[in-house]
Amino acid sequence: MPVTTTTVDLTGLDAARGGSRRLTGHLTRPAGPGPWPGVVVVHEALGVNDVMHRQAERLASAGYLALMPDLFTDGGAVRCLVPTFRAALSGHGRAFRDIDAARTRLAQDPDCTGRIGIIGFCMGGSFALLALSDGQFDAASVNYGRPPKDLDAALDGACPVVASYGARDRTLPGVAPGLEAALDRLGIVHDVVEYPEAGHSFLNDSEVGPRALRPLMRVAGIGPHPESAADAWRRIDAFFATHLTAEGRKG
């Protein structure tokens, strides 16, 4: 049986605390009977696209109830991109409330065990990194996410973290060793790897963005790197299996 994806209405789950007035998400369920651990999937800067759907489908195939909130629901990518990026850099804003709405929806789902992780790509990786210290997630996968200026403060009390970066990512030089050092200082369980041949968005399984810009993106080191992606997914799978698949509903 294949995994199934449905569009769900997340409106109102966190609007009272500053979330979007209108918010949809894409819920991808594994085949067969639940319950399963949940994972909030935070999309890249280009929004919900086929590549992001396939990332969610991959997680569902591995046995996770995956919910990807569309952070651009209330206004579209053109109107929402800049304020969403600002939220990712500042650690405050509507997008964080929308991510929490998705987590709440998973926690309320009878097919969720109550153990919930978060995974983010690009811009979503920044959100995943900043959403870790409130005790709401049990594990996080941060993929080429930009860290905040005060990394130690943002990570204080964080859940276990698996992070993947590309050494050829010109937008994030030195981020991986800096993140690993901070996690070491704070005593947070982690697995951080910087892949020497990979650049930004290396976990994508195909190129994205306007076709005319793709040659420039390749020159800038942005795009798939299948060999690095395969190893990163192996690590993510093992990390989530360790921290999310404990039997029983979270208390």
Side-chain angles (χ1 to χ4, degrees):
M1 294 176 60
V3 301
T4 58
T5 299
T6 56
T7 299
V8 295
D9 186 4
L10 304 176
T11 303
L13 287 177
D14 223 330
R17 294 201 298 140
S20 293
R21 294 168 299 172
R22 185 171 58 89
L23 179 65
T24 60
H26 305 275
L27 183 65
T28 306
R29 292 180 177 272
W36 310 280
V39 176
V40 175
V41 181
V42 191
H43 59 73
E44 62 185 13
L46 294 174
V48 175
N49 53 33
D50 289 344
V51 171
M52 292 294 102
H53 277 300
R54 287 195 293 272
Q55 305 288 36
E57 289 165 2
R58 191 194 185 287
L59 287 160
S61 296
Y64 300 99
L65 189 62
L67 178 54
M68 177 166 52
D70 184 350
L71 301 181
F72 300 157
T73 302
D74 198 7
V78 173
R79 291 180 57 189
C80 294
L81 180 59
V82 171
T84 303
F85 249 117
R86 286 174 179 164
L89 295 175
S90 70
H92 306 283
R94 184 176 68 180
F96 285 98
R97 306 281 71 80
D98 292 347
I99 291 168
D100 196 53
R103 187 204 61 79
T104 298
R105 172 63 176 78
L106 284 173
Q108 293 174 348
D109 196 305
D111 282 332
C112 182
T113 64
R115 298 195 67 80
I116 300 172
I118 183 171
I119 185 170
F121 305 89
C122 177
M123 178 188 74
S126 298
F127 281 115
L129 193 57
L130 288 166
L132 305 183
S133 61
D134 61 3
Q136 299 299 313
F137 292 105
D138 298 291
S141 174
V142 176
N143 301 293
Y144 29 90
R146 183 175 297 279
K149 291 181 179 180
D150 191 346
L151 187 54
D152 283 28
L155 292 175
D156 189 27
C159 64
V161 178
V162 55
S164 301
Y165 288 84
R168 295 188 176 184
D169 186 347
R170 298 177 183 176
T171 68
L172 298 170
V175 167
L179 175 59
E180 185 165 34
L183 293 167
D184 280 336
R185 284 193 299 271
L186 296 169
I188 296 166
V189 175
H190 63 276
D191 173 7
V192 180
V193 170
E194 183 179 70
Y195 291 96
E197 300 301 318
H200 199 76
S201 298
F202 74 88
L203 277 163
N204 287 357
D205 61 8
S206 67
E207 293 181 303
V208 295
R211 190 171 299 276
L213 295 179
R214 290 179 186 178
L216 294 176
M217 294 172 71
R218 288 194 290 269
V219 171
I222 300 172
H225 192 266
E227 294 81 6
S228 300
D231 187 72
W233 274 116
R234 177 192 60 77
R235 293 171 39 249
I236 294 166
D237 289 341
F239 202 84
F240 276 6
T242 297
H243 297 286
L244 296 182
T245 60
E247 292 187 7
R249 185 172 293 271
K250 185 178 178 181

